[in-house]
Amino acid sequence: MKTVIRSALCASFLFSAAALAEMSQNTVMVGGAAMYPSKNIVENAMNSKDHTTLVAAVKAAGLVDTLQGPGPFTVFAPTNAAFAKLSMGTVDTLLKPENKSKLTAVLTYHVVAGKYDMKALEKKVKQGHGRAELKTVNGASLWVMQNGPHNLQLKDNQGNVANISTYDVQQKNGAIDVIDTVLMP
């Protein structure tokens, strides 16, 4: 009986230690969920209640496998509220199968090859005298601008400006920065 109790206690301890190790990672809360650096971009985004529209769009565009790949990628992730700011019907139209190429173009405009944390983006902006150009995965340019100390914004080809509300959410295959506006190529 003592052996069974010791085994149960050991198993309980090991399970608790594993759970503690995962929780002690440099997690950031996004959309009410912890984002774990040991998980990939898609695994973490799926847990954020603020990114359900983005996750649905990634699935509709067939980009899940790509964003689960090795990367590294920096994803500027629009929230549900960002998608809600688009003209009425835009999201529904983009999610239709016949508009997959347009949806893919919009989504890949939010992804940059490489892992850029805030310090790296600020350095590029400083080198560019207040503005830095990034090439997105879809091939179009996106601009990063300084908006006060420790505050960066993104500007798209149509002049829309997105604020980064959460920086440097580390992922196994890159980083996510949460933004408040959907960027358009």
Side-chain angles (χ1 to χ4, degrees):
M1 184 67 167
K2 286 183 181 181
T3 305
V4 171
I5 292 172
R6 279 188 214 153
S7 295
L9 284 173
C10 286
S12 175
F13 176 74
L14 288 174
F15 177 75
S16 296
L20 255 171
E22 183 154 312
M23 286 174 39
S24 70
Q25 294 179 32
N26 295 326
T27 61
V28 175
M29 296 299 285
V30 175
M35 301 288 115
Y36 296 102
S38 61
K39 294 184 177 182
N40 67 48
I41 291 166
V42 174
E43 290 170 329
N44 275 321
M46 288 175 61
N47 292 323
S48 170
K49 69 178 185 209
D50 290 344
H51 291 91
T52 56
T53 305
L54 178 61
V55 169
V58 166
K59 288 177 181 178
L63 294 173
V64 171
D65 289 342
T66 300
L67 292 176
Q68 287 182 327
F73 304 107
T74 299
V75 176
F76 300 108
T79 61
N80 295 341
F83 280 100
K85 292 190 318 186
L86 294 172
S87 301
M88 187 181 285
T90 301
V91 174
D92 291 336
T93 300
L94 285 171
L95 290 174
K96 291 181 179 178
E98 62 267 22
N99 294 321
K100 185 177 177 179
S101 63
K102 286 182 184 179
L103 178 61
T104 300
V106 170
L107 293 175
T108 57
Y109 190 62
H110 290 78
V111 181
V112 176
K115 188 173 183 179
Y116 293 96
D117 62 11
M118 183 177 194
K119 286 182 182 181
L121 291 172
E122 285 178 325
K123 183 178 178 182
K124 287 182 82 60
V125 169
K126 186 175 181 180
Q127 290 170 341
H129 306 288
R131 183 174 159 153
E133 182 177 354
L134 299 175
K135 283 290 184 191
T136 65
V137 172
N138 89 352
S141 294
L142 181 67
W143 292 268
V144 182
M145 304 169 300
Q146 192 84 36
N147 183 30
H150 206 64
N151 187 23
L152 297 173
Q153 293 179 314
L154 303 169
K155 186 175 181 181
D156 67 18
N157 278 333
Q158 296 184 16
N160 300 309
V161 175
N163 295 295
I164 301 174
S165 60
T166 305
Y167 293 89
D168 301 342
V169 183
Q170 300 303 314
Q171 315 290 302
K172 179 169 64 174
N173 61 343
I176 292 176
D177 289 327
V178 178
I179 59 174
D180 67 354
T181 301
V182 176
L183 303 165
M184 295 295 183

